[in-house]
């Protein structure tokens, strides 16, 4: 099956790469459910945090995008309370920008980039976006507090 | 009760038995239909004015469901004077029906297969292996030809008795030609001789193909079989050629097809067009092919490449991230010079369908998933 062979390739590639900011492991043998971890980018309020994400890969992957959800609570204008991420890359065209040439690794890198530079002009959490623009220090304080509270690395 | 004698004479294997606490009888046993004993069971259900009604309980499994239904309908409509009459009626009906299982007498064929096989092994003493299947349905044999190549063949036996040519070559690894397929034969030795003659005739073809496999980087087929008369040969990054040989006319100029972006293909096809006239039926075809392409030697693809550093290696499909999908290599290349990504037809088509691209006649077109330029591929069934 297309999905499984491609997923196997992607996971093998990811485990071979020396990218230390992203990890992705299958939860079970079906390759349909995976758990990803990304580290908070340095120089941001998310620094030193480790964020868990749930990656659901549909049967029809890569013709349909995977759905990605934050399992770790995070204070971010583009990520809502239930962990949903507002990103055009994980939506089908014409609304979104998903392409079958995009891999899971690049998706996770894009999400990490979103943590680095939030997009307050297309927010999912309007009040956080407003705070990000008007009262930036308060946003930084709260985001740091969330990272401390929820995304603290256990080890 | 005068019919009882006839009953015993005509249906000696039918037994009558009185049903307990009633005046009815149960009839069960076997009757001869078309030289075969057929099991049947009937039950007397009612006696009206001295005539009886019967019901079918069971009919031999050699007959199918519809025959049983037909008999039931006959029995429902009619009533009978005695047991003999009803059995005669059923017998007459069954004679016209075709039984489901027809055991045929294959002794003649068995005898012939065993005889032919022993003659065959005695005649061809240089057989490498030979085996007759236990149920005599097929023979497998392998042989080493004059150039020490091993060939194996499977010959199946036709048990339908439609023809006397019962032996047929069913599996072999040689290029096929429609005009001379192997014809079935009644003589195993004659049949195998045809096969050997074909192998000898194809020797120059085997030589050439092996020369390709030794001296070039073959991208496809992955594991060439003798029946594969084409080779996709690596010429450089992004470019390869498919050379198709006519197995029975090896000395004829082969067919070339170049795969790759236009600007790379151009120089090769120019060379080819300029040199076409120089092709002569010559002994060394491999050298001839090199001359046609204007090459000293076929380039060898560097094998040091670390495949794992790249998610998608050169030549691999950018959608399924692999080289082969159902044994096929990527067929579509993006025409944008800066992109030139490879796709399997199946993968690109799958994406176009998923993203609602538009179909024009028998092609579907949309944006290249990598560079967004227009790209199209044939519609798949």
């Amino acid at each position: 099956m297309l999905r499984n062979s491609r997923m196997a390739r992607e996971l093998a590639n990811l485990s071979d790469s020396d990218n230390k900011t992203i990890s992705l492991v299958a939860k079970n043998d079906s390759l349909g459910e995976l758990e990803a971890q990304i580290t908070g980018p340095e120089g941001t309020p998310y620094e030193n945090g480790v964020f868990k994400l749930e990656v659901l890969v549909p049967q029809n992957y890569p013709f349909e995008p995977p759905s990605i959800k934050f399992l770790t609570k995070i204070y971010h204008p583009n990520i809502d309370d239930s962990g949903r991420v507002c990103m055009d890359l994980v939506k089908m065209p014409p609304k979104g920008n998903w392409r079958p040439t995009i891999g899971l690794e690049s998706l996770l890198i894009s999400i990490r980039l979103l943590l680095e530079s939030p997009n307050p002009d297309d927010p999912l959490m309007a009040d956080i976006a407003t705070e990000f623009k008007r009262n930036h220090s308060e946003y930084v304080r709260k985001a740091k507090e969330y990272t401390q509270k929820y995304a603290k690395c256990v080890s | 009760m005068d019919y009882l004698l006839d009953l015993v004479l005509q249906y000696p294997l039918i037994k009558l038995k009185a049903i307990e606490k009633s005046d009815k009888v149960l009839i069960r046993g076997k009757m001869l239909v078309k030289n075969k004993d057929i099991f049947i069971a009937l039950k007397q259900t009612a006696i009206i004015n001295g005539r009886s009604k019967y019901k079918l309980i069971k009919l031999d499994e050699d007959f199918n469901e519809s025959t049983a239904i037909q008999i039931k309908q006959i029995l429902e409509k009619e009533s009978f004077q005695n047991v003999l009459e009803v059995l005669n009626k059923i017998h007459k009906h069954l004679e016209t029906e075709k039984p489901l299982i027809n055991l045929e007498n294959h002794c003649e064929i068995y005898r012939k297969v065993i005889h032919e096989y022993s003659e065959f092994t005695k005649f061809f003493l240089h057989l490498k292996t030979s085996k007759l299947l236990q149920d005599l349905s097929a023979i497998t044999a392998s042989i080493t030809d004059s150039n020490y190549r091993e060939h194996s063949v499977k010959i199946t036996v036709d048990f339908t008795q439609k023809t006397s040519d019962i032996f047929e070559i069913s599996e072999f690894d040689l290029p096929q030609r429609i005009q001379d397929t192997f014809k079935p034969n009644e003589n195993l030795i004659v049949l195998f001789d045809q096969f050997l003659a074909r192998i000898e005739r194809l020797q120059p073809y085997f030589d050439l193909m092996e020369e390709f496999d030794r001296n070039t980087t073959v991208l496809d087929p992955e594991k060439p079989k003798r029946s594969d008369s084409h080779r996709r040969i690596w010429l450089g990054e992004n470019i390869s050629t498919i050379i198709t040989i006519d197995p029975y006319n090896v000395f004829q100029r082969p067919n070339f097809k170049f795969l790759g972006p236009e600007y790379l293909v151009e120089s090769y096809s120019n060379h080819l067009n300029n040199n076409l006239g120089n092709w002569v039926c010559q002994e060394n075809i491999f050298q001839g092919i090199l001359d046609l392409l204007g090459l000293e030697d076929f380039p060898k693809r560097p094998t040091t490449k670390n495949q794992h550093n790249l998610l998608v290696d050169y030549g691999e499909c950018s959608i399924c991230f692999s080289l082969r999908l159902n044994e096929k290599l990527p067929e579509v290349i993006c025409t944008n010079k800066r992109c030139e990504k490879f796709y399997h037809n199946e993968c690109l088509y799958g994406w176009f369908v998923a993203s609602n691209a538009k179909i024009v006649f028998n092609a579907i077109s949309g944006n290249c998933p990598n560079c967004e330029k227009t790209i199209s591929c044939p519609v798949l069934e």
Side-chain angles (χ1 to χ4, degrees):
Chain A
M1 225 182 71
L2 200 63
R3 181 186 80 163
N4 291 359
S5 65
R6 182 174 142 149
M7 292 283 299
R9 175 76 178 253
E10 287 193 59
L11 288 174
N13 194 266
L14 200 64
S15 70
D16 277 5
S17 80
D18 39 10
N19 191 336
K20 288 192 180 59
T21 57
I22 287 167
S23 80
L24 184 66
V25 276
K27 270 189 184 169
N28 47 37
D29 291 341
S30 75
L31 293 178
E33 289 173 46
L34 302 107
E35 199 175 275
Q37 291 191 346
I38 57 178
T39 58
E42 282 165 33
T44 68
Y46 310 106
E47 193 175 347
N48 294 330
V50 175
F51 299 87
K52 276 191 186 174
L53 297 100
E54 179 190 59
V55 181
L56 296 178
V57 182
Q59 280 296 327
N60 209 7
Y61 179 80
F63 301 126
E64 279 170 29
S67 54
I68 297 183
K69 214 174 96 176
F70 269 84
L71 294 176
T72 310
K73 262 177 105 70
I74 183 167
Y75 195 78
H76 190 284
N78 304 101
I79 300 159
D80 76 3
D81 290 338
S82 56
R84 285 186 297 150
V85 189
C86 175
M87 207 167 66
D88 60 347
L89 278 185
V90 288
K91 283 186 213 129
M92 272 305 266
K95 269 170 103 183
N97 230 337
W98 166 252
R99 299 279 175 271
T101 41
I102 302 171
L104 292 170
E105 185 181 6
S106 19
L107 271 185
L108 292 170
I109 291 174
S110 323
I111 287 179
R112 197 162 175 272
L113 273 172
L114 192 68
L115 297 190
E116 226 169 288
S117 45
N119 179 10
D121 297 323
D122 183 19
L124 207 55
M125 304 292 281
D127 38 345
I128 303 181
T130 321
E131 192 178 73
F132 182 87
K133 284 199 269 195
R134 304 230 171 106
N135 192 356
H136 197 77
S137 58
E138 179 65 9
Y139 151 78
V140 170
R141 193 189 62 78
K142 279 191 187 156
K144 267 188 184 161
E145 192 186 305
Y146 266 61
T147 308
Q148 277 290 327
K149 203 167 163 190
Y150 301 108
K152 201 72 195 138
C153 192
V154 185
S155 56
Chain B
M1 289 279 169
D2 51 345
Y3 67 90
L4 279 180
L5 181 64
D6 283 333
L7 182 72
V8 171
L9 285 174
Q10 281 186 43
Y11 305 105
L13 296 175
I14 294 281
K15 230 167 85 178
L16 300 184
K17 195 180 153 200
I19 299 169
E20 271 180 55
K21 289 175 196 163
S22 78
D23 53 350
K24 317 272 182 348
V25 283
L26 202 66
I27 306 150
R28 50 180 293 149
K30 289 182 172 179
M31 65 161 76
L32 202 62
V33 180
K34 285 182 185 164
N35 285 326
K36 212 177 163 237
D37 285 327
I38 297 297
F39 179 82
I40 190 162
L42 295 169
K43 197 169 129 189
Q44 195 176 21
T45 52
I47 306 165
I48 309 154
N49 301 334
R51 293 180 74 85
S52 309
K53 297 284 281 180
Y54 294 93
K55 200 182 148 198
L56 184 73
I57 301 171
K58 203 170 158 49
L59 182 68
D60 206 300
E61 279 161 2
D62 279 9
F63 287 95
N64 58 25
E65 207 60 31
S66 68
T67 313
I69 290 168
Q70 281 168 19
I71 291 174
K72 274 181 191 163
Q73 282 168 352
I74 293 171
L75 293 179
E76 248 170 56
K77 266 186 259 160
E78 294 181 39
S79 57
F80 302 89
Q81 196 133 36
N82 56 43
V83 180
L84 187 63
E85 206 181 300
V86 67
L87 288 176
N88 276 339
K89 184 91 194 173
I90 293 170
H91 186 256
K92 210 172 139 193
H93 186 80
L94 290 182
E95 280 286 356
T96 62
E97 287 289 320
K98 213 172 124 203
L100 221 52
I101 300 158
N102 208 351
L103 275 182
E104 274 175 48
N105 187 353
H106 286 144
C107 285
E108 278 301 312
I109 297 184
Y110 288 148
R111 215 171 282 147
K112 171 143 180 143
V113 170
I114 292 170
H115 173 75
E116 285 287 324
Y117 180 71
S118 78
E119 288 294 308
F120 166 75
T121 49
K122 272 184 233 157
F123 190 86
F124 294 105
L125 291 171
H126 58 309
L127 281 176
K128 194 149 185 276
T129 61
S130 69
K131 199 181 161 211
L132 177 62
L133 255 65
Q134 236 166 21
D135 61 356
L136 309 185
S137 65
I139 293 145
T140 54
S142 69
I143 197 158
T144 323
D145 69 12
S146 52
N147 282 319
Y148 306 105
R149 295 187 185 98
E150 201 183 316
H151 301 271
S152 52
V153 68
K154 185 177 177 187
I155 299 166
T156 48
V157 182
D158 181 7
F159 279 101
T160 57
Q161 293 182 328
K162 279 183 200 139
T163 161
S164 60
D165 295 331
I166 54 168
F167 297 109
E168 188 178 9
I169 294 185
S170 60
E171 280 172 33
F172 56 94
D173 183 18
L174 294 179
Q176 272 275 46
R177 214 164 45 150
I178 307 149
Q179 57 263 48
D180 49 18
T181 48
F182 294 110
K183 287 195 185 66
N185 201 301
E186 58 175 340
N187 189 322
L188 200 51
I189 295 173
V190 172
L191 186 74
F192 197 70
D193 247 344
Q194 284 179 27
F195 180 70
L196 291 183
R198 182 75 59 87
I199 289 174
E200 284 313 311
R201 200 177 150 196
L202 287 168
Q203 287 301 325
Y205 162 74
F206 296 145
D207 286 339
L208 178 63
M209 290 329 246
E210 281 176 14
E211 206 161 357
F212 278 129
D213 295 339
R214 267 199 312 274
N215 300 321
T216 70
T217 307
V218 176
L219 298 174
D220 185 63
E222 196 172 19
K223 284 183 188 128
K225 289 187 297 222
R226 295 224 171 81
S227 53
D228 294 321
S229 62
H230 72 277
R231 294 287 184 274
R232 181 168 162 189
I233 294 169
W234 190 83
L235 292 175
E237 286 297 318
N238 274 5
I239 182 153
S240 59
T241 178
I242 297 177
I243 301 180
T244 311
I245 305 284
D246 181 350
Y248 295 90
N249 288 307
V250 176
F251 297 101
Q252 205 176 9
R253 183 170 48 78
N255 252 323
F256 293 88
K257 190 184 169 199
F258 295 101
L259 295 173
E262 242 167 75
Y263 68 99
L264 283 175
V265 167
E266 217 180 327
S267 76
Y268 281 99
S269 47
N270 282 345
H271 263 295
L272 188 65
N273 287 334
N274 293 336
N275 295 336
L276 272 188
N278 300 336
W279 178 268
V280 275
C281 274
Q282 50 190 311
E283 273 302 302
N284 194 341
I285 312 153
F286 190 73
Q287 187 58 46
I289 287 170
L290 282 174
D291 292 344
L292 275 185
L293 296 171
L295 291 171
E296 285 280 308
D297 223 331
F298 279 105
K300 290 263 161 61
R301 187 186 192 179
T303 46
T304 46
K305 226 177 187 178
N306 184 358
Q307 299 218 328
H308 285 290
N309 270 347
L310 288 166
L311 189 54
V312 184
D313 211 350
Y314 162 72
E316 288 182 332
C317 171
S318 299
I319 292 178
C320 68
F321 294 178
S322 50
L323 188 60
R324 270 162 226 278
L325 179 71
N326 303 330
E327 298 296 302
K328 276 191 236 143
L329 295 171
E331 297 99 336
V332 188
I333 305 173
C334 178
T335 48
N336 179 6
K337 216 167 157 178
R338 300 203 172 165
C339 174
E340 284 177 2
K341 287 277 185 271
F342 287 73
Y343 301 104
H344 287 116
N345 201 344
E346 204 179 323
C347 297
L348 195 61
Y349 180 68
W351 166 242
F352 283 162
V353 169
S355 59
N356 293 321
K358 58 173 185 260
I359 296 180
V360 181
F361 295 113
N362 52 2
I364 188 165
S365 58
N367 298 336
C368 168
N370 185 57
C371 70
E372 303 282 304
K373 290 269 172 4
T374 307
I375 185 172
S376 67
C377 75
V379 169
L380 297 173
E381 290 303 316

